[in-house]
Amino acid sequence: MTYLRDIPLSALQFYLTAPYACSYLPELDARSQVATPSFLISTPIYSELVRQGFRRSGTFTYRPRCDGCSACVPVRVDVNAFTPSRTQRRVWKNHHPVITLHPLEDKPEYFELYQRYQKARHPDGGMNNDSHDQYQKFLLQSHVDSMLVEFREDGVLRMISIIDALDDGLSSVYTFFDPDIKTASFGTYNVLWQIDLCRQLELPYLYLGYWIEASRKMAYKANFKPLQGLVQGVWKTLAMDDTA
């Protein structure tokens, strides 16, 4: 095998981290299973890892492997079966941003928006005081096929979304937006736009990372039905209350 893309998944090694404080269930400790070496994780390999419940943060590819806890459920939207709720249709109708796709790049206005978003929306999440270097390592480093998406209204930057392209869908890495417009529902619009992009690209799934039933921060994911979850190694439709 002479090309990195030809390297099989079996060439990777996996290790468990030491326990650390869980970001979503603060009374618990978490552990992660990490795939290495990161430079071997190309888009085809990463696509298979995502189907097995992995996710990335920068060049760090991991999945939860917590002692005695399986609350984190990898989830994805079945794009072809998705039908927006009345609320989602209203959000979609009310926004008309100018949307442009870019490579992962750094601009001062991106970082300024990121800082405002973290301080307003996640003041106790440990990321509200991220340095510029931490921000770059988190969002602007990738070994896979990634893009940065700008959403502007009247020339004003309102939202940034980082997305990975997989062989069977898109993976929503992270989104941050203007926190000062309280009723804009930018996050909902962003997911709807990514679902629409999947349809345009004829990709069947939008991967949304992990969902935890007891986490308020992740509750929005349950509104995009039908939502599939990876449960005991099998992707299946999750039974959700009608929260949309």
Side-chain angles (χ1 to χ4, degrees), residues 145-175:
D145 187 4
S146 304
M147 70 184 90
L148 181 151
V149 187
E150 281 189 12
F151 298 78
R152 294 182 182 270
E153 293 179 340
D154 297 322
V156 178
L157 181 66
R158 295 300 189 195
M159 181 162 55
I160 292 289
S161 189
I162 309 296
I163 303 171
D164 292 336
L166 311 177
D167 59 19
D168 68 340
L170 299 176
S171 176
S172 185
V173 178
Y174 200 75
T175 295

Side-chain angles (χ1 to χ4, degrees), residues 71-215:
C72 289
V73 179
V75 290
R76 67 188 186 187
V77 179
D78 182 344
V79 168
N80 293 323
F82 171 75
T83 300
S85 67
R86 180 181 301 175
T87 298
Q88 290 165 346
R89 290 196 298 271
R90 184 168 63 249
V91 170
W92 183 254
K93 182 179 179 179
N94 287 343
H95 283 282
H96 305 282
V98 174
I99 302 169
T100 54
L101 278 58
H102 306 264
L104 300 184
E105 57 186 3
D106 197 2
K107 291 183 179 180
E109 64 176 335
Y110 296 170
F111 184 52
E112 187 274 335
L113 181 63
Y114 175 82
Q115 288 180 308
R116 287 201 294 119
Y117 172 81
Q118 294 296 345
K119 286 179 170 59
R121 300 298 294 261
H122 304 292
D124 301 319
M127 298 167 66
N128 56 314
N129 290 313
D130 274 3
S131 68
H132 187 251
D133 182 62
Q134 288 172 310
Y135 159 77
Q136 288 180 315
K137 289 178 178 177
F138 173 40
L139 292 180
L140 303 183
Q141 294 184 2
S142 173
H143 291 313
V144 300
D145 187 4
S146 304
M147 70 184 90
L148 181 151
V149 187
E150 281 189 12
F151 298 78
R152 294 182 182 270
E153 293 179 340
D154 297 322
V156 178
L157 181 66
R158 295 300 189 195
M159 181 162 55
I160 292 289
S161 189
I162 309 296
I163 303 171
D164 292 336
L166 311 177
D167 59 19
D168 68 340
L170 299 176
S171 176
S172 185
V173 178
Y174 200 75
T175 295
F176 54 97
F177 49 80
D178 189 335
D180 297 330
I181 307 177
K182 305 298 184 183
T183 61
S185 300
F186 286 130
T188 295
Y189 178 83
N190 182 268
V191 176
L192 294 171
W193 180 83
Q194 291 187 44
I195 291 172
D196 185 64
L197 182 59
C198 284
R199 286 176 172 158
Q200 293 180 49
L201 297 174
E202 298 183 346
L203 295 170
Y205 300 114
L206 174 63
Y207 290 85
L208 292 178
Y210 304 114
W211 174 73
I212 300 175
E213 186 174 10
S215 172

Side-chain angles (χ1 to χ4, degrees), residues 37-54:
S38 60
F39 68 87
L40 292 185
I41 301 177
S42 60
T43 294
I45 290 178
Y46 185 61
S47 297
E48 180 57 35
L49 288 171
V50 170
R51 284 190 287 273
Q52 295 184 24
F54 282 81

Side-chain angles (χ1 to χ4, degrees), residues 7-8 12-15 20 35 45 63 73 83 91 102 175-176 187 207 236-237 244:
I7 295 174
L12 298 179
Q13 296 181 339
F14 301 87
Y15 70 88
Y20 55 91
I45 290 178
R63 64 181 173 185
V73 179
T83 300
V91 170
H102 306 264
T175 295
F176 54 97
Y207 290 85
K236 63 180 184 180
T237 299

